[in-house]
Amino acid sequence: MVELNLPPFAYKVTKIDGKPFIFDVIRRKYVMITPEEWVRQHVFHWLTGEHQYPKSLIRIETGMHYNQLLKRTDIVVYDREGGPFLLVECKAPHVKLTDNVFDQAIRYNAVLRAKYILVTNGLEHFTFGVETGVAVVLGQIPIYP
């Protein structure tokens, strides 16, 4: 797998039908390692390890409705009151983080209404604070309250 601009972490990998799978501690199962999943797993461990986000308040690949379509959010971190705190949109390392990617995250957040958005491809990371529907670029990951 590609080396990312994220801290390494201890992980369990297995092969199922000859394909590599990684153990996801939130979903409590092995999931196929795609380039995007590789980024998602690194981001999860970065948030819980380095930034001390509580594992119990993180959901991975949960469904949401956007314009009558069922979409999946990569990672959502909730605050202690159960409100959305951080929406994370992960892309594969080869995907450039363009305005289209940022717009996708902002559209998802129009439904979710998290206070912060993180967009990453594992190599580059952009964090936004969202106030009154306007996304403002931040210099770092928000501290978990």
Side-chain angles (χ1 to χ4, degrees):
M1 296 304 305
V2 175
E3 187 173 328
L4 302 177
N5 184 17
L6 291 163
F9 66 98
Y11 53 88
K12 293 191 278 185
V13 175
T14 190
K15 286 202 174 193
I16 300 173
D17 295 330
K19 296 178 181 168
F21 282 68
I22 189 167
F23 188 75
D24 182 306
V25 298
I26 294 296
R27 292 179 274 185
R28 295 185 182 134
K29 66 179 184 178
Y30 282 93
V31 294
M32 186 183 301
I33 303 176
T34 62
E36 184 175 314
E37 187 63 43
W38 185 241
V39 172
R40 189 170 23 252
Q41 291 299 316
H42 273 78
V43 170
F44 167 78
H45 288 278
W46 181 44
L47 293 174
T48 58
E50 189 169 313
H51 294 284
Q52 304 301 305
Y53 282 37
K55 291 178 186 176
S56 63
L57 296 175
I58 296 176
R59 300 293 172 265
I60 294 180
E61 283 206 315
T62 56
M64 62 171 265
H65 285 88
Y66 176 77
N67 284 343
Q68 300 176 339
L69 298 172
L70 183 61
K71 299 291 185 178
R72 289 191 179 273
T73 56
D74 286 311
I75 300 173
V76 179
V77 180
Y78 293 90
D79 61 26
R80 297 192 193 286
E81 287 76 43
F85 177 72
L86 174 69
L87 167 66
V88 181
E89 178 62 31
C90 298
K91 296 296 184 189
H94 68 273
V95 175
K96 294 210 181 286
L97 300 181
T98 64
D99 286 343
N100 289 339
V101 174
F102 299 133
D103 289 345
Q104 175 189 1
I106 290 168
R107 280 193 308 273
Y108 286 5
N109 200 50
V111 174
L112 196 63
R113 298 182 185 203
K115 296 173 187 159
Y116 300 98
I117 301 171
L118 168 63
V119 178
T120 182
N121 62 6
L123 303 172
E124 295 181 288
H125 322 292
F126 295 91
T127 307
F128 302 89
V130 183
E131 292 184 33
T132 63
V134 177
V136 178
V137 177
L138 303 175
Q140 61 189 19
I141 300 290
I143 295 171
Y144 189 82

